[in-house]
């Protein structure tokens, strides 16, 4: 909700300041043709449901970048270019990551990814935005190289030499690289669905961070590095890792209610619930939640579902809050045998498609993003020279 700004207190341009909304809630901060959340989630006009069921990350990445679904020829060539970028990660980046892995093997994988992408910008000498075809090429290289950086970092911190990038779609190759074995087709399918669901979401915090950096005339890699930093936070992408940590911490379903009451009493947010935009539930969580239950039925991972159901019921009853995408995504990744530390990095790999599309859109019709603030500091006062200060 927006409230009128006290004009006398605005820090600048008081005549144009009209409203203040904490956290920019409800503020329209720009236009986009990439994604809409009106009624249901749509990428470039296509409803999310069939895209998610197809689970084809390359198809969606192309759609976000180009505005149209790819032809079969375009899809094959695009997929091959992403795989080529993954296979040919610059040795200077691998070498630098190797030194960092030796020095800080416990570093967060998100920090490694953020650093790796920043290094890619350096080796590519990306210093300013190029024309649209050059930006699209950069986007493709980032889409292919980022999962390869992730996989290389995991190898380097485990003391293994980086293994080659596997054949097949992004979903299959990344899942194979992260688990170390060839995945079952049904696992590739649901993993692909999560990549599609994570690919894009309008003016979320990380995308807005990327657009803000791009709006200054800075380069693609600087914008994406900022976006990765924003995604790391537990109120944004970092929530999917916290969800699984919390489910592990609670233990059995019989502890759910007591644990939630402790969180409410301590005024802590419950990870995986609530959303700035969806107030009647996240359409992506509904879709993936149903798929997750089918995936884990009758397996060891199915034990978490009773606990998850109990938490969902109490959150709705007591807080009126429904799950967001991170709630089922964390359970799906756990069921696929993925370690918790790669959950948010997988989100980076997927959201790279949305981020790069937004950076290109911002550059294509740019005005610097520079909002106002309400000054809340000391009243005007006179400077006292240090020579006469105590
Ligand atoms: N657990 C408990 N309470 C929550 C909550 C949660 N997950 N999410 C929101 N609330 C509470 C808020 O504290 C607020 O309470 P108040 O009115 O007493 O202050 C109320 O619900 C309304 O919050 P809202 O304005 O809808 O939240 P927001 O838009 O500022 O924040 C999130 C949105 C996503 C940051 C927030 O819901 C959250 O922190 N969720 C947990 C982290 C998460 O899952 N992030 C991933 C998002 S996709």
């Amino acid at each position: 909700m927006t409230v009128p700004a006290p004009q006398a207190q605005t820090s600048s341009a008081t005549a144009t300041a009209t409203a203040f909304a904490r956290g920019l809630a409800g503020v329209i901060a720009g236009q986009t043709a990439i994604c809409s959340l009106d009624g249901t989630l749509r990428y470039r006009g296509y409803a999310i449901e069939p895209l998610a069921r197809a689970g084809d990350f390359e198809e969606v990445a192309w759609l976000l970048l180009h505005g149209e679904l790819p032809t079969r020829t375009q899809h094959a060539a695009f997929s091959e270019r992403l795989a080529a970028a993954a296979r040919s990660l610059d040795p200077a980046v691998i070498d630098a990551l190797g030194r960092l892995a030796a020095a800080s093997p416990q570093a967060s994988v998100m920090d490694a990814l953020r650093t790796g992408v920043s290094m890619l910008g350096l080796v590519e000498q990306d210093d300013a935005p190029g024309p649209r075809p050059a930006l699209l090429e950069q986007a493709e290289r980032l889409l292919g190289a980022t999962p390869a950086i992730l996989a290389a970092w995991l190898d380097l911190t485990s003391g293994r030499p980086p293994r080659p990038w596997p054949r097949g779609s992004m979903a299959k190759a990344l899942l194979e690289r992260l688990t170390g074995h060839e995945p079952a087709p049904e696992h590739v399918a649901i993993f692909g669905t999560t990549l599609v669901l994570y690919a894009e979401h309008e003016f979320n915090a990380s995308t807005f961070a990327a657009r803000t950096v791009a709006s200054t005339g800075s380069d693609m890699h600087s914008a994406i590095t900022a976006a990765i930093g924003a995604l790391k936070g537990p109120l944004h992408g970092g929530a999917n890792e916290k969800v699984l940590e919390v489910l592990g911490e609670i233990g059995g379903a019989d502890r759910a209610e007591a644990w939630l009451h402790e969180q409410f009493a301590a005024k802590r947010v419950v990870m995986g619930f609530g959303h700035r935009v969806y107030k009647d539930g996240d359409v992506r969580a509904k879709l993936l939640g149903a798929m997750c239950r089918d995936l884990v039925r009758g397996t060891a991972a199915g034990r978490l579902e009773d606990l998850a159901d109990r938490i969902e019921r109490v959150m709705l009853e007591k807080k009126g809050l429904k799950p967001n995408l991170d709630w089922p995504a964390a359970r799906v990744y756990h069921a696929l045998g993925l370690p918790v530390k790669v959950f948010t990095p997988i989100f980076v790999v997927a959201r790279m498609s949305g981020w790069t599309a937004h950076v290109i859109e911002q550059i294509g019709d740019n005005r610097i993003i520079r909002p106002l603030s309400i000054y809340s500091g000391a009243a005007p006062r006179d400077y006292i020279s240090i020579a006469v200060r105590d």
Side-chain angles (χ1 to χ4, degrees):
M1 196 174 117
T2 58
V3 295
Q7 286 227 333
Q9 289 180 314
T10 50
S11 64
S12 55
T14 51
T16 55
T18 52
F20 164 57
R22 247 179 116 234
L24 298 183
V27 171
I28 296 169
Q31 283 186 299
T32 182
I34 299 168
C35 172
S36 61
L37 299 183
D38 194 8
T40 187
L41 170 61
R42 289 178 188 273
Y43 294 166
R44 299 277 190 188
Y46 292 101
I48 191 64
E49 289 85 352
L51 294 172
R53 286 198 193 95
D56 182 339
F57 177 68
E58 283 88 339
E59 172 180 76
V60 162
W62 176 280
L63 171 68
L64 295 171
L65 286 167
H66 294 270
E68 298 297 335
L69 291 168
T71 63
R72 266 181 272 172
T73 310
Q74 286 167 335
H75 184 279
F78 180 67
S79 305
E80 181 42 40
R81 289 197 296 275
L82 299 198
R87 282 194 299 267
S88 58
L89 188 56
D90 195 301
V93 172
I94 300 180
D95 187 50
L97 285 172
R99 287 162 196 264
L100 292 169
S104 312
Q106 301 305 326
S108 110
V109 185
M110 285 296 284
D111 289 351
L113 264 191
R114 193 194 58 229
T115 306
V117 166
S118 180
M119 287 194 290
L120 278 183
L122 188 134
V123 296
E124 282 200 11
Q125 299 183 31
D126 181 19
D127 195 28
R132 188 179 154 80
L135 289 168
L136 284 167
E137 275 179 31
Q138 275 182 335
E140 289 187 358
R141 284 198 298 278
L142 276 163
L143 278 162
T146 307
I149 292 174
L150 167 59
W153 178 259
L154 297 175
D155 286 339
L156 291 163
T157 48
S158 336
R160 297 185 296 258
R163 286 170 293 172
W165 188 252
R167 299 174 67 80
S169 68
M170 175 64 77
K172 180 199 167 261
L174 181 58
L175 191 55
E176 182 169 335
R177 204 60 181 75
L178 296 179
T179 57
H181 57 77
E182 193 168 330
E186 61 273 24
H187 288 184
V188 174
I190 196 164
F191 188 62
T193 295
T194 70
L195 296 182
V196 167
L197 292 172
Y198 269 139
E200 162 58 12
H201 216 217
E202 200 224 24
F203 274 31
N204 57 87
S206 57
T207 300
F208 194 60
R211 289 191 77 127
T212 302
V213 173
S215 84
T216 69
S218 187
D219 59 280
M220 171 75 88
H221 289 80
S222 295
I224 298 302
T225 303
I228 297 173
L231 193 81
K232 181 183 170 191
L235 300 187
H236 190 11
N240 61 8
E241 295 185 9
K242 298 284 172 208
V243 162
L244 208 81
E245 286 169 19
V246 157
L247 289 174
E249 181 189 314
I250 302 172
D254 52 334
R255 280 265 306 134
E257 206 137 355
W259 182 85
L260 280 171
H261 286 298
E262 285 165 28
Q263 309 310 301
F264 300 156
K267 299 213 171 308
R268 279 195 284 267
V269 291
V270 178
M271 293 297 161
F273 285 82
H275 198 274
R276 172 58 64 78
V277 181
Y278 300 112
K279 294 305 177 195
D280 188 34
D282 180 337
V283 55
R284 304 165 303 171
K286 285 178 208 155
L287 259 171
L288 192 64
M291 291 183 186
C292 176
R293 282 184 275 278
D294 287 347
L295 174 75
V296 302
R297 193 169 294 124
T299 73
R303 276 181 291 129
L304 276 188
E305 295 307 296
D306 287 346
L307 172 57
D309 284 351
R310 284 277 261 282
I311 293 178
E312 278 187 39
R313 247 181 285 134
V314 180
M315 284 299 284
L316 192 59
E317 269 167 38
K318 305 279 179 206
K319 291 277 172 186
L321 288 170
K322 294 187 180 173
N324 57 52
L325 174 58
D326 294 315
W327 184 245
R331 283 145 47 216
V332 167
Y333 290 158
H334 174 66
L336 295 179
L338 293 162
V340 176
K341 65 183 177 184
V342 302
F343 289 10
T344 314
I346 292 169
F347 192 162
V348 170
V349 170
R351 186 58 60 86
M352 189 61 71
S353 55
W355 288 334
T356 48
H358 276 274
V359 168
I360 295 171
E361 186 179 65
Q362 180 70 37
I363 291 169
D365 181 22
N366 190 48
R367 188 172 187 205
I368 190 167
I369 296 173
R370 203 300 186 191
L372 301 175
S373 63
I374 294 176
Y375 178 65
S376 62
R381 45 192 169 158
D382 293 331
Y383 172 75
I384 301 165
S385 162
I386 191 141
V388 294
R389 245 179 279 159
D390 291 340

